[in-house]
mmCIF file of all heavy atoms in Angstrom:
data_model
loop_
_atom_site.group_PDB
_atom_site.id
_atom_site.type_symbol
_atom_site.label_atom_id
_atom_site.label_comp_id
_atom_site.label_asym_id
_atom_site.label_seq_id
_atom_site.Cartn_x
_atom_site.Cartn_y
_atom_site.Cartn_z
ATOM 1 N N ALA C 28 -8.650 2.422 17.660
ATOM 2 C CA ALA C 28 -9.258 2.779 16.378
ATOM 3 C C ALA C 28 -9.398 4.290 16.228
ATOM 4 O O ALA C 28 -9.204 4.825 15.134
ATOM 5 C CB ALA C 28 -10.618 2.112 16.239
ATOM 6 N N ARG C 29 -9.694 4.975 17.298
ATOM 7 C CA ARG C 29 -9.845 6.432 17.224
ATOM 8 C C ARG C 29 -8.515 7.093 16.862
ATOM 9 O O ARG C 29 -8.481 8.043 16.072
ATOM 10 C CB ARG C 29 -10.354 6.978 18.552
ATOM 11 C CG ARG C 29 -10.579 8.486 18.512
ATOM 12 C CD ARG C 29 -11.125 8.998 19.798
ATOM 13 N NE ARG C 29 -12.464 8.454 19.991
ATOM 14 C CZ ARG C 29 -13.138 8.561 21.117
ATOM 15 N NH1 ARG C 29 -12.617 9.178 22.148
ATOM 16 N NH2 ARG C 29 -14.345 8.061 21.221
ATOM 17 N N LEU C 30 -7.427 6.593 17.419
ATOM 18 C CA LEU C 30 -6.100 7.117 17.093
ATOM 19 C C LEU C 30 -5.799 6.901 15.608
ATOM 20 O O LEU C 30 -5.303 7.799 14.929
ATOM 21 C CB LEU C 30 -5.037 6.426 17.955
ATOM 22 C CG LEU C 30 -3.591 6.783 17.662
ATOM 23 C CD1 LEU C 30 -3.341 8.267 17.893
ATOM 24 C CD2 LEU C 30 -2.666 5.942 18.523
ATOM 25 N N TRP C 31 -6.108 5.719 15.099
ATOM 26 C CA TRP C 31 -5.923 5.399 13.678
ATOM 27 C C TRP C 31 -6.684 6.394 12.800
ATOM 28 O O TRP C 31 -6.124 6.974 11.873
ATOM 29 C CB TRP C 31 -6.391 3.969 13.433
ATOM 30 C CG TRP C 31 -6.425 3.521 12.013
ATOM 31 C CD1 TRP C 31 -7.534 3.431 11.219
ATOM 32 C CD2 TRP C 31 -5.323 3.096 11.208
ATOM 33 N NE1 TRP C 31 -7.187 2.958 9.980
ATOM 34 C CE2 TRP C 31 -5.834 2.742 9.944
ATOM 35 C CE3 TRP C 31 -3.959 2.968 11.433
ATOM 36 C CZ2 TRP C 31 -5.026 2.282 8.923
ATOM 37 C CZ3 TRP C 31 -3.160 2.506 10.400
ATOM 38 C CH2 TRP C 31 -3.686 2.174 9.168
ATOM 39 N N ARG C 32 -7.969 6.575 13.097
ATOM 40 C CA ARG C 32 -8.788 7.495 12.291
ATOM 41 C C ARG C 32 -8.292 8.929 12.411
ATOM 42 O O ARG C 32 -8.271 9.672 11.422
ATOM 43 C CB ARG C 32 -10.242 7.411 12.733
ATOM 44 C CG ARG C 32 -10.908 6.112 12.384
ATOM 45 C CD ARG C 32 -12.402 6.154 12.637
ATOM 46 N NE ARG C 32 -12.750 6.629 13.958
ATOM 47 C CZ ARG C 32 -12.932 5.848 15.029
ATOM 48 N NH1 ARG C 32 -12.802 4.543 14.918
ATOM 49 N NH2 ARG C 32 -13.246 6.366 16.192
ATOM 50 N N ARG C 33 -7.886 9.320 13.607
ATOM 51 C CA ARG C 33 -7.428 10.693 13.826
ATOM 52 C C ARG C 33 -6.147 10.973 13.040
ATOM 53 O O ARG C 33 -6.014 12.032 12.418
ATOM 54 C CB ARG C 33 -7.198 10.935 15.313
ATOM 55 C CG ARG C 33 -6.888 12.366 15.651
ATOM 56 C CD ARG C 33 -6.845 12.558 17.137
ATOM 57 N NE ARG C 33 -6.044 11.518 17.758
ATOM 58 C CZ ARG C 33 -4.850 11.733 18.306
ATOM 59 N NH1 ARG C 33 -4.334 12.925 18.315
ATOM 60 N NH2 ARG C 33 -4.177 10.736 18.846
ATOM 61 N N LEU C 34 -5.216 10.037 13.063
ATOM 62 C CA LEU C 34 -3.962 10.240 12.341
ATOM 63 C C LEU C 34 -4.168 10.262 10.831
ATOM 64 O O LEU C 34 -3.544 11.055 10.127
ATOM 65 C CB LEU C 34 -2.956 9.145 12.715
ATOM 66 C CG LEU C 34 -2.383 9.227 14.127
ATOM 67 C CD1 LEU C 34 -1.554 7.992 14.430
ATOM 68 C CD2 LEU C 34 -1.557 10.488 14.299
ATOM 69 N N LEU C 35 -5.033 9.399 10.327
ATOM 70 C CA LEU C 35 -5.232 9.329 8.879
ATOM 71 C C LEU C 35 -6.186 10.380 8.328
ATOM 72 O O LEU C 35 -6.354 10.485 7.125
ATOM 73 C CB LEU C 35 -5.734 7.934 8.480
ATOM 74 C CG LEU C 35 -4.736 6.800 8.665
ATOM 75 C CD1 LEU C 35 -5.310 5.515 8.105
ATOM 76 C CD2 LEU C 35 -3.399 7.109 8.033
ATOM 77 N N SER C 36 -6.815 11.135 9.202
ATOM 78 C CA SER C 36 -7.708 12.183 8.714
ATOM 79 C C SER C 36 -7.261 13.580 9.141
ATOM 80 O O SER C 36 -7.967 14.552 8.899
ATOM 81 C CB SER C 36 -9.133 11.925 9.196
ATOM 82 O OG SER C 36 -9.191 11.959 10.606
ATOM 83 N N ASP C 37 -6.102 13.682 9.730
ATOM 84 C CA ASP C 37 -5.571 14.977 10.166
ATOM 85 C C ASP C 37 -5.165 15.791 8.937
ATOM 86 O O ASP C 37 -4.286 15.401 8.170
ATOM 87 C CB ASP C 37 -4.369 14.760 11.074
ATOM 88 C CG ASP C 37 -3.850 16.038 11.695
ATOM 89 O OD1 ASP C 37 -4.326 17.125 11.324
ATOM 90 O OD2 ASP C 37 -2.958 15.940 12.554
ATOM 91 N N SER C 38 -5.799 16.930 8.763
ATOM 92 C CA SER C 38 -5.579 17.719 7.545
ATOM 93 C C SER C 38 -4.147 18.247 7.448
ATOM 94 O O SER C 38 -3.600 18.332 6.345
ATOM 95 C CB SER C 38 -6.573 18.869 7.459
ATOM 96 O OG SER C 38 -6.392 19.760 8.537
ATOM 97 N N THR C 39 -3.524 18.597 8.570
ATOM 98 C CA THR C 39 -2.152 19.111 8.494
ATOM 99 C C THR C 39 -1.173 18.016 8.076
ATOM 100 O O THR C 39 -0.226 18.281 7.337
ATOM 101 C CB THR C 39 -1.706 19.717 9.839
ATOM 102 O OG1 THR C 39 -1.830 18.734 10.860
ATOM 103 C CG2 THR C 39 -2.538 20.923 10.189
ATOM 104 N N LEU C 40 -1.408 16.788 8.527
ATOM 105 C CA LEU C 40 -0.545 15.680 8.117
ATOM 106 C C LEU C 40 -0.798 15.288 6.672
ATOM 107 O O LEU C 40 0.141 14.946 5.938
ATOM 108 C CB LEU C 40 -0.759 14.471 9.029
ATOM 109 C CG LEU C 40 -0.364 14.645 10.492
ATOM 110 C CD1 LEU C 40 -0.762 13.433 11.299
ATOM 111 C CD2 LEU C 40 1.127 14.923 10.607
ATOM 112 N N LEU C 41 -2.040 15.333 6.235
ATOM 113 C CA LEU C 41 -2.370 14.963 4.860
ATOM 114 C C LEU C 41 -1.874 15.994 3.847
ATOM 115 O O LEU C 41 -1.551 15.644 2.717
ATOM 116 C CB LEU C 41 -3.880 14.764 4.712
ATOM 117 C CG LEU C 41 -4.423 13.496 5.371
ATOM 118 C CD1 LEU C 41 -5.944 13.510 5.338
ATOM 119 C CD2 LEU C 41 -3.877 12.258 4.702
ATOM 120 N N LYS C 42 -1.799 17.263 4.261
ATOM 121 C CA LYS C 42 -1.301 18.297 3.351
ATOM 122 C C LYS C 42 0.156 18.074 2.977
ATOM 123 O O LYS C 42 0.597 18.456 1.903
ATOM 124 C CB LYS C 42 -1.456 19.679 3.982
ATOM 125 C CG LYS C 42 -2.857 20.205 3.943
ATOM 126 C CD LYS C 42 -2.930 21.582 4.557
ATOM 127 C CE LYS C 42 -4.369 22.032 4.643
ATOM 128 N NZ LYS C 42 -4.486 23.321 5.351
ATOM 129 N N GLN C 43 0.915 17.426 3.869
ATOM 130 C CA GLN C 43 2.324 17.138 3.585
ATOM 131 C C GLN C 43 2.461 16.075 2.502
ATOM 132 O O GLN C 43 3.509 15.966 1.871
ATOM 133 C CB GLN C 43 3.031 16.683 4.859
ATOM 134 C CG GLN C 43 3.068 17.740 5.917
ATOM 135 C CD GLN C 43 3.591 17.208 7.232
ATOM 136 O OE1 GLN C 43 4.008 16.061 7.349
ATOM 137 N NE2 GLN C 43 3.581 18.048 8.247
ATOM 138 N N ASN C 44 1.410 15.265 2.323
ATOM 139 C CA ASN C 44 1.360 14.233 1.280
ATOM 140 C C ASN C 44 2.548 13.268 1.361
ATOM 141 O O ASN C 44 3.106 12.861 0.350
ATOM 142 C CB ASN C 44 1.283 14.882 -0.105
ATOM 143 C CG ASN C 44 0.568 13.997 -1.088
ATOM 144 O OD1 ASN C 44 -0.336 13.262 -0.718
ATOM 145 N ND2 ASN C 44 0.978 14.044 -2.339
ATOM 146 N N HIS C 45 2.908 12.911 2.591
ATOM 147 C CA HIS C 45 4.035 12.003 2.841
ATOM 148 C C HIS C 45 3.504 10.593 3.083
ATOM 149 O O HIS C 45 2.793 10.363 4.057
ATOM 150 C CB HIS C 45 4.827 12.498 4.043
ATOM 151 C CG HIS C 45 6.007 11.652 4.371
ATOM 152 N ND1 HIS C 45 7.036 11.443 3.490
ATOM 153 C CD2 HIS C 45 6.308 10.947 5.479
ATOM 154 C CE1 HIS C 45 7.916 10.652 4.059
ATOM 155 N NE2 HIS C 45 7.507 10.332 5.264
#
Side-chain angles (χ1 to χ4, degrees):
R29 182 178 294 170
L30 175 62
W31 173 259
R32 291 189 309 268
R33 187 173 47 110
L34 289 172
L35 292 186
S36 62
D37 186 353
S38 63
T39 57
L40 295 174
L41 288 172
K42 283 181 186 175
Q43 296 172 4
N44 208 32
H45 181 60

